[in-house]
Coordinates of all heavy atoms in Angstrom, one line a residue:
A1 N -52.8 -57.6 11.8 CA -51.5 -57.2 11.4 C -50.5 -58.3 11.5 O -49.8 -58.7 10.5 CB -50.9 -56.1 12.3
L2 N -50.6 -59.2 12.6 CA -49.8 -60.4 12.7 C -50.1 -61.3 11.7 O -49.2 -62.1 11.1 CB -49.8 -61.0 14.1 CG -49.0 -62.2 14.4 CD1 -47.6 -62.0 14.2 CD2 -49.3 -62.8 15.8
E3 N -51.3 -61.6 11.4 CA -51.8 -62.6 10.4 C -51.3 -62.2 9.0 O -50.8 -63.1 8.3 CB -53.3 -62.6 10.4 CG -53.9 -63.8 9.8 CD -55.4 -63.9 10.2 OE1 -55.9 -62.9 10.7 OE2 -55.9 -64.9 9.9
K4 N -51.3 -60.9 8.6 CA -50.8 -60.5 7.4 C -49.3 -60.7 7.2 O -48.8 -61.1 6.2 CB -51.1 -59.0 7.1 CG -52.6 -58.8 6.8 CD -52.8 -57.3 6.5 CE -54.4 -57.2 6.3 NZ -54.8 -55.8 5.9
I5 N -48.5 -60.5 8.4 CA -47.1 -60.7 8.4 C -46.8 -62.1 8.1 O -45.9 -62.5 7.3 CB -46.4 -60.2 9.6 CG1 -46.6 -58.7 9.7 CG2 -45.1 -60.7 9.8 CD1 -46.2 -58.1 11.1
C6 N -47.4 -63.1 8.8 CA -47.2 -64.5 8.7 C -47.7 -64.9 7.3 O -47.0 -65.8 6.8 CB -48.0 -65.3 9.8 SG -47.3 -65.0 11.4
E7 N -48.7 -64.3 6.7 CA -49.1 -64.8 5.4 C -48.1 -64.3 4.3 O -48.0 -65.0 3.3 CB -50.5 -64.2 5.0 CG -51.6 -64.8 5.8 CD -53.0 -64.1 5.6 OE1 -53.0 -63.1 4.8 OE2 -54.0 -64.7 6.1
S8 N -47.3 -63.2 4.6 CA -46.4 -62.7 3.7 C -45.0 -63.6 3.7 O -44.3 -63.4 2.7 CB -46.1 -61.2 3.9 OG -45.3 -61.1 5.1
V9 N -44.8 -64.5 4.6 CA -43.7 -65.3 4.6 C -43.9 -66.4 3.6 O -44.7 -67.3 3.9 CB -43.4 -65.8 6.0 CG1 -42.2 -66.7 6.1 CG2 -43.1 -64.7 6.9
K10 N -43.2 -66.5 2.5 CA -43.4 -67.4 1.4 C -42.1 -68.1 1.3 O -41.0 -67.6 1.3 CB -43.8 -66.8 0.2 CG -45.1 -66.0 0.2 CD -46.3 -66.8 0.3 CE -47.6 -65.9 0.2 NZ -48.7 -66.5 0.9
P11 N -42.1 -69.4 0.9 CA -40.9 -70.2 0.7 C -39.9 -69.7 -0.3 O -38.8 -69.6 -0.2 CB -41.3 -71.6 0.4 CG -42.8 -71.7 0.9 CD -43.3 -70.3 0.9
E12 N -40.6 -69.1 -1.4 CA -39.8 -68.6 -2.5 C -39.0 -67.3 -2.2 O -38.0 -66.9 -2.9 CB -40.6 -68.4 -3.8 CG -41.8 -67.5 -3.6 CD -43.0 -68.2 -3.1 OE1 -43.0 -69.5 -2.9 OE2 -44.1 -67.6 -3.0
N13 N -39.4 -66.6 -1.2 CA -38.7 -65.2 -0.8 C -38.2 -65.3 0.6 O -37.9 -64.3 1.2 CB -39.6 -64.1 -1.0 CG -40.9 -64.1 -0.2 OD1 -41.1 -64.9 0.7 ND2 -41.7 -63.1 -0.4
T14 N -38.0 -66.5 1.2 CA -37.5 -66.7 2.5 C -36.2 -67.6 2.5 O -36.3 -68.6 1.9 CB -38.6 -67.2 3.4 OG1 -39.7 -66.4 3.3 CG2 -38.2 -67.3 4.9
D15 N -35.3 -67.3 3.3 CA -34.1 -68.2 3.6 C -34.6 -69.5 4.0 O -35.4 -69.6 4.9 CB -33.2 -67.5 4.5 CG -31.9 -68.3 4.6 OD1 -31.8 -69.3 5.2 OD2 -30.8 -67.8 4.1
Q16 N -34.0 -70.6 3.5 CA -34.3 -72.0 3.9 C -34.1 -72.3 5.3 O -34.7 -73.2 6.0 CB -33.7 -73.0 3.0 CG -32.2 -73.1 3.2 CD -31.5 -74.2 2.3 OE1 -32.1 -74.6 1.4 NE2 -30.4 -74.6 2.7
D17 N -33.2 -71.5 6.0 CA -33.0 -71.7 7.4 C -33.8 -70.9 8.3 O -33.7 -70.9 9.6 CB -31.4 -71.5 7.7 CG -30.5 -72.4 7.1 OD1 -31.0 -73.6 6.9 OD2 -29.4 -72.1 6.7
F18 N -34.7 -70.0 7.8 CA -35.5 -69.2 8.6 C -36.6 -70.1 9.4 O -37.2 -71.0 8.8 CB -36.3 -68.2 7.7 CG -37.4 -67.4 8.4 CD1 -36.9 -66.4 9.3 CD2 -38.7 -67.8 8.3 CE1 -37.9 -65.6 9.9 CE2 -39.7 -67.0 9.0 CZ -39.3 -65.9 9.7
R19 N -36.7 -69.8 10.6 CA -37.8 -70.4 11.5 C -38.4 -69.3 12.3 O -37.8 -68.4 12.8 CB -37.1 -71.5 12.5 CG -36.3 -72.6 11.7 CD -37.3 -73.4 10.9 NE -36.6 -74.6 10.4 CZ -36.2 -74.6 9.1 NH1 -36.1 -73.5 8.4 NH2 -35.5 -75.6 8.6
L20 N -39.7 -69.4 12.5 CA -40.4 -68.5 13.3 C -41.0 -69.2 14.5 O -41.8 -70.1 14.3 CB -41.6 -67.9 12.5 CG -42.5 -66.9 13.2 CD1 -41.7 -65.7 13.8 CD2 -43.6 -66.5 12.4
W21 N -40.5 -68.8 15.6 CA -41.0 -69.4 16.9 C -41.9 -68.5 17.6 O -41.5 -67.3 17.9 CB -39.9 -69.8 17.9 CG -39.0 -70.9 17.4 CD1 -38.0 -70.8 16.5 CD2 -39.2 -72.2 17.7 NE1 -37.5 -72.1 16.3 CE2 -38.2 -73.0 17.0 CE3 -40.0 -72.9 18.5 CZ2 -38.1 -74.4 17.2 CZ3 -39.9 -74.3 18.7 CH2 -38.9 -74.9 18.0
M22 N -43.2 -68.8 17.9 CA -44.1 -67.9 18.6 C -44.6 -68.7 19.8 O -44.8 -69.9 19.7 CB -45.2 -67.5 17.7 CG -44.7 -66.7 16.5 SD -45.9 -66.1 15.3 CE -47.5 -66.6 15.8
T23 N -44.8 -67.9 20.9 CA -45.5 -68.5 22.0 C -46.7 -67.6 22.3 O -46.7 -66.4 22.1 CB -44.7 -68.6 23.3 OG1 -44.2 -67.2 23.6 CG2 -43.4 -69.4 23.0
S24 N -47.7 -68.3 22.9 CA -49.0 -67.6 23.1 C -49.8 -68.2 24.3 O -49.8 -69.5 24.3 CB -49.9 -67.5 21.9 OG -51.1 -66.8 22.2
L25 N -50.3 -67.4 25.1 CA -51.2 -67.8 26.0 C -52.6 -67.9 25.4 O -52.8 -67.2 24.4 CB -51.2 -67.1 27.3 CG -49.9 -67.0 28.1 CD1 -50.1 -65.9 29.2 CD2 -49.7 -68.4 28.7
P26 N -53.5 -68.6 25.8 CA -54.8 -68.5 25.3 C -55.3 -67.1 25.2 O -55.4 -66.4 26.3 CB -55.7 -69.4 26.1 CG -54.8 -70.4 26.8 CD -53.5 -69.6 26.9
S27 N -55.7 -66.6 24.0 CA -56.1 -65.2 23.9 C -57.1 -65.1 22.8 O -56.9 -65.6 21.7 CB -55.0 -64.3 23.8 OG -55.4 -63.1 23.4
P28 N -58.2 -64.4 23.0 CA -59.2 -64.2 21.8 C -58.6 -63.3 20.8 O -59.0 -63.2 19.7 CB -60.4 -63.5 22.5 CG -59.9 -63.0 23.8 CD -58.8 -63.9 24.2
A29 N -57.5 -62.5 21.2 CA -56.9 -61.6 20.2 C -55.9 -62.2 19.3 O -55.5 -61.7 18.3 CB -56.2 -60.4 21.0
F30 N -55.5 -63.4 19.7 CA -54.5 -64.1 18.8 C -55.2 -64.9 17.6 O -56.1 -65.6 17.8 CB -53.7 -65.3 19.6 CG -52.5 -65.7 19.0 CD1 -51.2 -65.1 19.2 CD2 -52.5 -66.8 18.2 CE1 -50.1 -65.6 18.7 CE2 -51.3 -67.3 17.6 CZ -50.1 -66.6 17.8
P31 N -54.7 -64.6 16.4 CA -55.4 -65.1 15.2 C -55.4 -66.7 15.2 O -54.5 -67.3 15.2 CB -54.6 -64.5 14.1 CG -53.8 -63.4 14.6 CD -53.5 -63.7 16.1
V32 N -56.6 -67.2 15.1 CA -56.8 -68.6 15.1 C -56.1 -69.2 13.8 O -55.6 -70.3 13.9 CB -58.3 -68.9 15.1 CG1 -58.6 -70.4 14.9 CG2 -58.9 -68.4 16.4
S33 N -56.1 -68.5 12.7 CA -55.6 -69.0 11.5 C -54.1 -69.3 11.7 O -53.5 -70.3 11.0 CB -55.7 -68.1 10.3 OG -55.1 -66.9 10.5
I34 N -53.3 -68.5 12.5 CA -51.9 -68.7 12.7 C -51.7 -70.1 13.5 O -50.9 -70.9 13.3 CB -51.2 -67.5 13.4 CG1 -51.3 -66.4 12.4 CG2 -49.8 -67.9 13.8 CD1 -50.8 -65.1 13.0
L35 N -52.6 -70.2 14.5 CA -52.6 -71.4 15.4 C -52.8 -72.7 14.5 O -52.2 -73.7 14.7 CB -53.5 -71.4 16.5 CG -53.2 -70.3 17.6 CD1 -54.4 -70.2 18.6 CD2 -51.9 -70.6 18.3
Q36 N -53.8 -72.6 13.6 CA -54.1 -73.7 12.8 C -53.1 -74.1 11.8 O -52.9 -75.3 11.5 CB -55.5 -73.4 12.1 CG -56.6 -73.4 13.0 CD -57.9 -72.9 12.4 OE1 -57.9 -72.2 11.3 NE2 -59.1 -73.2 13.0
A37 N -52.4 -73.1 11.3 CA -51.3 -73.4 10.3 C -50.0 -73.8 10.9 O -49.1 -74.3 10.1 CB -51.1 -72.1 9.4
G38 N -49.7 -73.6 12.1 CA -48.5 -73.9 12.7 C -48.3 -75.3 13.2 O -49.3 -76.1 13.4
V39 N -47.1 -75.6 13.5 CA -46.8 -76.9 14.2 C -46.9 -76.7 15.6 O -46.2 -75.7 16.2 CB -45.4 -77.4 13.8 CG1 -45.0 -78.7 14.6 CG2 -45.3 -77.7 12.3
K40 N -47.6 -77.4 16.4 CA -47.7 -77.2 17.8 C -46.8 -78.0 18.7 O -46.6 -79.2 18.3 CB -49.2 -77.5 18.4 CG -50.2 -76.5 17.9 CD -50.6 -76.8 16.6 CE -51.8 -76.0 16.0 NZ -52.0 -76.1 14.7
M41 N -46.2 -77.4 19.7 CA -45.4 -78.2 20.6 C -45.8 -77.8 22.0 O -46.2 -76.7 22.3 CB -44.0 -77.7 20.5 CG -43.2 -78.1 19.2 SD -41.6 -77.3 19.0 CE -40.8 -77.8 20.4
T42 N -45.8 -78.8 22.9 CA -46.1 -78.6 24.2 C -44.9 -79.1 25.1 O -44.3 -80.0 24.7 CB -47.3 -79.3 24.7 OG1 -47.2 -80.6 24.5 CG2 -48.5 -78.7 24.0
N43 N -44.7 -78.4 26.2 CA -43.7 -78.7 27.1 C -44.2 -78.6 28.5 O -44.5 -77.5 28.9 CB -42.5 -77.8 26.9 CG -41.3 -78.3 27.6 OD1 -41.2 -79.2 28.3 ND2 -40.1 -77.6 27.4
E44 N -44.3 -79.8 29.1 CA -44.9 -79.7 30.5 C -43.9 -79.2 31.5 O -42.8 -79.7 31.6 CB -45.3 -81.1 30.8 CG -46.5 -81.6 30.0 CD -47.8 -80.9 30.1 OE1 -48.1 -80.4 31.2 OE2 -48.4 -80.8 29.2
P45 N -44.3 -78.2 32.2 CA -43.4 -77.5 33.2 C -43.2 -78.5 34.4 O -44.1 -79.3 34.7 CB -44.1 -76.3 33.6 CG -45.6 -76.5 33.4 CD -45.6 -77.4 32.2
P46 N -42.0 -78.3 35.0 CA -41.9 -79.2 36.3 C -42.9 -78.7 37.4 O -43.4 -77.6 37.4 CB -40.5 -78.9 36.7 CG -39.9 -77.8 35.9 CD -40.9 -77.6 34.7
A47 N -43.2 -79.5 38.3 CA -44.2 -79.3 39.3 C -43.5 -78.2 40.3 O -42.4 -78.3 40.7 CB -44.6 -80.5 40.1
G48 N -44.3 -77.3 40.6 CA -43.9 -76.2 41.6 C -43.2 -75.0 41.0 O -42.6 -75.0 39.9
L49 N -43.4 -73.9 41.6 CA -42.9 -72.6 41.2 C -41.4 -72.6 41.1 O -40.8 -72.1 40.1 CB -43.4 -71.5 42.1 CG -43.0 -70.1 41.7 CD1 -43.4 -69.7 40.3 CD2 -43.5 -69.1 42.7
R50 N -40.7 -73.1 42.2 CA -39.3 -73.0 42.2 C -38.7 -73.9 41.1 O -37.8 -73.3 40.3 CB -38.8 -73.5 43.5 CG -37.2 -73.5 43.7 CD -36.7 -73.8 45.0 NE -37.1 -72.8 46.0 CZ -36.9 -72.9 47.1 NH1 -36.3 -73.9 47.8 NH2 -37.3 -71.9 48.0
A51 N -39.1 -75.0 40.9 CA -38.6 -75.9 39.8 C -39.0 -75.3 38.5 O -38.1 -75.4 37.5 CB -39.2 -77.3 39.9
N52 N -40.1 -74.6 38.2 CA -40.4 -74.0 37.0 C -39.5 -72.8 36.7 O -39.0 -72.7 35.6 CB -41.8 -73.6 37.0 CG -42.4 -73.4 35.7 OD1 -41.7 -73.5 34.7 ND2 -43.7 -73.2 35.5
L53 N -39.2 -72.0 37.7 CA -38.3 -70.9 37.5 C -36.9 -71.4 37.2 O -36.2 -70.8 36.3 CB -38.3 -69.9 38.8 CG -39.5 -69.1 38.9 CD1 -39.5 -68.4 40.3 CD2 -39.7 -68.0 37.8
R54 N -36.4 -72.3 37.9 CA -35.0 -72.9 37.7 C -35.0 -73.4 36.2 O -34.0 -73.2 35.6 CB -34.7 -74.0 38.6 CG -34.3 -73.5 39.9 CD -33.8 -74.6 40.9 NE -33.4 -74.2 42.1 CZ -33.3 -74.9 43.2 NH1 -33.5 -76.2 43.1 NH2 -32.9 -74.4 44.3
R55 N -36.0 -74.0 35.8 CA -35.9 -74.6 34.4 C -36.0 -73.4 33.4 O -35.2 -73.5 32.4 CB -37.2 -75.5 34.2 CG -37.3 -76.0 32.8 CD -38.5 -76.9 32.7 NE -38.9 -77.0 31.3 CZ -39.7 -76.2 30.6 NH1 -40.2 -75.1 31.2 NH2 -40.0 -76.4 29.4
S56 N -36.8 -72.5 33.6 CA -36.8 -71.3 32.7 C -35.5 -70.6 32.7 O -35.0 -70.1 31.6 CB -37.9 -70.3 33.2 OG -39.1 -70.9 33.1
F57 N -34.8 -70.4 33.7 CA -33.5 -69.7 33.8 C -32.4 -70.5 33.1 O -31.4 -69.9 32.7 CB -33.2 -69.2 35.1 CG -34.0 -68.1 35.7 CD1 -34.3 -68.1 37.0 CD2 -34.5 -67.1 34.8 CE1 -35.2 -67.0 37.5 CE2 -35.3 -66.0 35.3 CZ -35.6 -66.1 36.6
A58 N -32.6 -71.8 33.1 CA -31.6 -72.6 32.4 C -31.7 -72.9 31.0 O -30.8 -73.2 30.3 CB -31.6 -74.0 33.1
L59 N -32.8 -72.4 30.4 CA -33.1 -72.6 29.0 C -32.4 -71.5 28.2 O -32.1 -70.4 28.7 CB -34.6 -72.6 28.7 CG -35.4 -73.8 29.3 CD1 -36.8 -73.5 29.0 CD2 -34.9 -75.1 28.6
D60 N -32.1 -71.7 27.0 CA -31.6 -70.7 26.0 C -32.7 -69.7 25.7 O -33.9 -70.1 25.7 CB -31.1 -71.3 24.7 CG -29.7 -72.0 24.9 OD1 -29.0 -71.6 25.8 OD2 -29.5 -72.9 24.1
P61 N -32.4 -68.5 25.5 CA -31.1 -67.8 25.6 C -30.7 -67.4 27.0 O -29.6 -67.1 27.2 CB -31.2 -66.7 24.6 CG -32.6 -66.3 24.8 CD -33.4 -67.5 25.0
I62 N -31.7 -67.4 27.9 CA -31.3 -66.9 29.2 C -30.2 -67.6 30.0 O -29.5 -67.1 30.6 CB -32.6 -66.9 30.1 CG1 -33.7 -65.9 29.5 CG2 -32.4 -66.4 31.5 CD1 -35.0 -66.1 30.0
G63 N -30.1 -68.9 29.7 CA -29.1 -69.8 30.3 C -27.7 -69.5 29.9 O -26.7 -70.0 30.4
D64 N -27.5 -68.7 28.7 CA -26.2 -68.5 28.2 C -25.7 -67.1 28.6 O -26.4 -66.1 28.3 CB -26.4 -68.6 26.6 CG -25.0 -68.3 25.9 OD1 -24.0 -68.3 26.6 OD2 -25.1 -68.3 24.7
P65 N -24.7 -67.0 29.4 CA -24.2 -65.7 29.9 C -23.9 -64.7 28.7 O -23.9 -63.6 28.8 CB -22.9 -66.1 30.6 CG -23.0 -67.5 30.9 CD -23.9 -68.1 29.9
E66 N -23.4 -65.3 27.6 CA -23.2 -64.5 26.4 C -24.3 -63.7 25.9 O -24.2 -62.6 25.4 CB -22.5 -65.3 25.3 CG -22.0 -64.5 24.2 CD -21.3 -65.4 23.1 OE1 -20.6 -66.4 23.5 OE2 -21.5 -65.1 21.9
F67 N -25.5 -64.2 26.1 CA -26.7 -63.6 25.8 C -26.9 -62.1 26.3 O -27.2 -61.2 25.7 CB -28.0 -64.4 26.2 CG -29.3 -63.7 26.0 CD1 -29.8 -63.6 24.7 CD2 -30.0 -63.4 27.0 CE1 -31.1 -63.0 24.5 CE2 -31.3 -62.8 26.9 CZ -31.8 -62.6 25.5
F68 N -26.4 -62.0 27.6 CA -26.5 -60.7 28.3 C -25.3 -59.9 27.8 O -25.5 -58.6 27.8 CB -26.5 -60.9 29.8 CG -27.6 -61.7 30.3 CD1 -27.6 -63.0 30.6 CD2 -28.9 -61.0 30.4 CE1 -28.7 -63.7 31.0 CE2 -30.0 -61.7 30.8 CZ -29.9 -63.1 31.1
E69 N -24.1 -60.4 27.7 CA -23.0 -59.6 27.3 C -23.0 -59.1 26.0 O -22.3 -58.0 25.7 CB -21.7 -60.5 27.5 CG -21.5 -61.1 28.9 CD -21.6 -60.1 30.0 OE1 -21.0 -58.9 29.9 OE2 -22.2 -60.4 31.0
T70 N -23.8 -59.6 25.0 CA -23.9 -59.0 23.7 C -24.7 -57.8 23.6 O -24.8 -57.2 22.5 CB -24.3 -60.1 22.7 OG1 -25.5 -60.7 23.1 CG2 -23.2 -61.2 22.6
H71 N -25.5 -57.6 24.6 CA -26.4 -56.4 24.6 C -25.6 -55.1 24.7 O -24.5 -55.2 25.4 CB -27.5 -56.5 25.8 CG -28.6 -55.6 25.6 ND1 -28.6 -54.4 26.1 CD2 -29.8 -55.8 25.0 CE1 -29.7 -53.7 25.9 NE2 -30.5 -54.6 25.2
S72 N -26.1 -54.0 24.2 CA -25.4 -52.8 24.3 C -25.2 -52.2 25.8 O -24.3 -51.5 26.1 CB -26.0 -51.7 23.4 OG -27.3 -51.4 23.9
K73 N -26.2 -52.6 26.6 CA -26.1 -52.3 28.0 C -26.3 -53.6 28.9 O -27.4 -53.8 29.4 CB -27.2 -51.3 28.4 CG -26.9 -49.9 27.6 CD -28.0 -48.9 27.9 CE -27.8 -47.7 27.2 NZ -28.8 -46.6 27.5
P74 N -25.3 -54.4 29.0 CA -25.5 -55.8 29.6 C -25.9 -55.7 31.1 O -26.7 -56.5 31.5 CB -24.1 -56.4 29.4 CG -23.1 -55.3 29.2 CD -23.9 -54.2 28.5
V75 N -25.4 -54.7 31.9 CA -25.8 -54.8 33.3 C -27.2 -54.4 33.5 O -28.0 -55.2 34.2 CB -24.8 -53.8 34.1 CG1 -25.2 -53.7 35.5 CG2 -23.5 -54.3 34.0
P76 N -27.8 -53.3 32.9 CA -29.2 -53.1 33.1 C -30.1 -54.1 32.5 O -31.1 -54.4 33.0 CB -29.4 -51.7 32.4 CG -28.1 -51.1 32.3 CD -27.0 -52.2 32.3
F77 N -29.7 -54.7 31.3 CA -30.4 -55.7 30.7 C -30.5 -56.9 31.5 O -31.6 -57.5 31.7 CB -29.8 -56.1 29.3 CG -30.5 -57.0 28.5 CD1 -31.8 -56.9 28.1 CD2 -29.9 -58.2 28.1 CE1 -32.5 -57.8 27.5 CE2 -30.5 -59.1 27.4 CZ -31.9 -58.9 27.1
K78 N -29.4 -57.3 32.1 CA -29.5 -58.6 33.0 C -30.3 -58.2 34.3 O -31.0 -59.1 34.8 CB -28.0 -58.9 33.3 CG -28.0 -60.2 34.1 CD -26.5 -60.7 34.3 CE -26.4 -62.1 35.0 NZ -25.1 -62.6 35.0
A79 N -30.2 -57.0 34.8 CA -31.0 -56.7 36.0 C -32.5 -56.7 35.7 O -33.3 -57.0 36.7 CB -30.6 -55.2 36.4
L80 N -32.9 -56.7 34.5 CA -34.4 -56.7 34.2 C -34.9 -58.2 34.5 O -36.1 -58.4 34.8 CB -34.6 -56.5 32.6 CG -34.5 -55.0 32.3 CD1 -34.6 -54.9 30.7 CD2 -35.6 -54.1 32.9
L81 N -34.0 -59.2 34.4 CA -34.3 -60.5 34.6 C -34.1 -61.0 36.0 O -35.0 -61.7 36.5 CB -33.6 -61.4 33.6 CG -34.0 -62.9 33.6 CD1 -35.4 -63.1 33.3 CD2 -33.1 -63.7 32.7
F82 N -33.0 -60.6 36.5 CA -32.6 -61.2 37.8 C -32.9 -60.2 39.0 O -32.8 -59.1 38.9 CB -31.2 -61.6 37.9 CG -30.9 -62.7 36.9 CD1 -30.2 -62.5 35.7 CD2 -31.3 -63.9 37.1 CE1 -30.0 -63.5 34.8 CE2 -31.1 -64.9 36.3 CZ -30.4 -64.8 35.1

């Protein structure tokens, strides 16, 4: 299903500013063709659990307070994370 969705994204019927960001852990269920067709980026996490969590919470969109306030239920939504 995911493979068909990605195959249907064509330059002629897609906004030029459209970008698709996907993340995946190694999984036999993730289509190899999507991995092969995409641009790969790696980001080495800081050493240690505490440093890694701090970095994760500082990144967008989680690091932006407006991210939580624009949700229809900001308090319960924010509580899911913190």
Side-chain angles (χ1 to χ4, degrees):
L2 177 61
E3 202 167 7
K4 288 182 181 183
I5 292 170
C6 289
E7 287 174 359
S8 70
V9 177
K10 303 283 184 215
E12 57 272 2
N13 63 1
T14 305
D15 188 285
Q16 68 179 16
D17 294 328
F18 173 77
R19 300 294 182 271
L20 176 62
W21 289 85
M22 296 182 358
T23 62
S24 175
L25 295 172
S27 168
F30 196 88
V32 174
S33 62
I34 294 174
L35 291 174
Q36 291 172 338
V39 174
K40 286 87 174 165
M41 293 175 50
T42 59
N43 192 353
E44 294 297 323
L49 180 61
R50 180 176 292 177
N52 201 352
L53 286 172
R54 281 187 181 164
R55 179 180 159 274
S56 294
F57 289 144
L59 295 174
D60 283 335
I62 296 169
D64 182 5
E66 190 175 317
F67 174 70
F68 297 101
E69 302 306 321
T70 57
H71 193 274
S72 61
K73 297 181 181 179
V75 174
F77 181 58
K78 189 172 184 177
L80 288 172
L81 182 63
F82 296 105

